[in-house]
Amino acid sequence: RIQPLFTRQLMDAWAAAMAEEATRLVASWDRAAADGRPVDLHREMTGFTLRVIGRLVFGTDVDAAVGQVRVAFPVLNRYIHRRIVAPVRWPRSWPTPANRRADRARGALDAVVDQIIARRRAGPARPEADDLVARLLAARDPDTGDRLDDTEVREQVLLFLLAGHETTATALTFTLHLLGHHPEEQRRVRDEAREVLGDRAPTAADAAALARTTRVVKEALRLYPPLYGIGRRTVADGTVGAIRGAGVEARTEAITGKED
């Protein structure tokens, strides 16, 4: 039911939305430059990608959700990262300051998405709605005819929001950072955009013609990959080289007395 959101036929529409958000962002940078104010590049890219994915997920409800998402996600990201690298992971049920901050942030995210879902269910059907929330609410199991409940819809929405904006924001941040340090390459990318686009907004079909811009983005991804590693947890004891490690069940039981 949600696959049509990602077909080639709809890419031009989403490219137009991206171009609108980019135009708004550049205008804000022009105002900042005129006032002599610095710009936090990663914060700006995070806001940009969040609004783009927010329009895909929430449609016209994007403004009601993005503000809260932008506040809560950094709290949860820091929490997740610290748990990943921590030598000891205290149970999430313990009322530590970090667990309580994460619980508050997750509760705020759940609340804003639940409000949108409740408003959509209570309101009249909107045949024109083509965002992720609308498609999830309309989805039915082909065998049983069952619909997704509110919790299932919310979990899917939050998954798309988290996966859809953070890594892209990081990639864009490093791309612009590198262009800032290489003005000649920045000039070539700008010249290519002017040659291909002129004064019009870009479309999805223009991507193939922006060859140098594509190479610049790929080089930024090579040098600064947003996802540079994937953690794995073994379920049984094992040896890698000369190092013998305990499986996750044995480690967590030894530390906490129960599986985390």
Side-chain angles (χ1 to χ4, degrees), residues 165-222:
H165 89 279
E166 185 183 22
T167 51
T168 305
T170 301
L172 289 173
T173 299
F174 279 115
T175 300
L176 294 177
H177 168 77
L178 289 170
L179 287 173
H181 283 275
H182 298 275
E184 283 301 309
E185 193 62 30
Q186 183 180 149
R187 179 186 58 78
R188 295 185 185 103
V189 169
R190 186 184 296 113
D191 289 346
E192 178 182 69
R194 288 171 175 165
E195 179 181 348
V196 173
L197 302 176
D199 294 329
R200 64 178 176 81
T203 68
D206 293 318
L210 296 170
R212 191 170 198 93
T213 304
T214 300
R215 291 198 296 270
V216 166
V217 173
K218 288 183 176 180
E219 179 66 359
L221 290 171
R222 184 185 73 83

Side-chain angles (χ1 to χ4, degrees), residues 46 68-80 105 165-166:
T46 300
Q68 186 61 63
V69 172
R70 190 167 183 173
V71 171
F73 264 168
V75 177
L76 292 173
N77 285 341
R78 288 192 296 270
Y79 176 75
I80 293 170
H165 89 279
E166 185 183 22

Side-chain angles (χ1 to χ4, degrees), residues 108-130:
L109 283 178
D110 288 352
V112 71
V113 177
D114 286 346
Q115 289 169 7
I116 292 172
I117 293 171
R119 186 162 61 247
R120 293 283 187 94
R121 287 201 189 277
R126 300 190 300 175
E128 77 284 359
D130 200 29

Side-chain angles (χ1 to χ4, degrees), residues 71-185:
V71 171
F73 264 168
V75 177
L76 292 173
N77 285 341
R78 288 192 296 270
Y79 176 75
I80 293 170
H81 180 262
R82 288 170 181 166
R83 283 187 66 85
I84 289 173
V85 301
V88 176
R89 299 174 188 169
W90 306 119
R92 286 186 289 270
S93 59
W94 288 13
T96 65
N99 284 347
R100 294 173 67 182
R101 283 193 298 269
D103 286 344
R104 288 194 296 269
R106 179 58 193 266
L109 283 178
D110 288 352
V112 71
V113 177
D114 286 346
Q115 289 169 7
I116 292 172
I117 293 171
R119 186 162 61 247
R120 293 283 187 94
R121 287 201 189 277
R126 300 190 300 175
E128 77 284 359
D130 200 29
D131 52 61
L132 180 64
V133 172
R135 288 189 175 275
L136 289 173
L137 291 176
R140 289 182 177 273
D141 186 288
D143 297 322
T144 67
D146 293 340
R147 295 179 182 270
L148 297 173
D149 62 33
D150 288 359
T151 299
E152 291 170 325
V153 173
R154 182 221 301 150
E155 295 300 319
Q156 289 296 319
V157 165
L158 292 177
L159 175 62
F160 269 81
L161 282 172
L162 179 60
H165 89 279
E166 185 183 22
T167 51
T168 305
T170 301
L172 289 173
T173 299
F174 279 115
T175 300
L176 294 177
H177 168 77
L178 289 170
L179 287 173
H181 283 275
H182 298 275
E184 283 301 309
E185 193 62 30

Side-chain angles (χ1 to χ4, degrees), residues 234 236-240 243-247 251:
T234 60
D237 295 356
T239 302
V240 177
I243 300 175
R244 179 170 178 78
R251 290 200 308 273

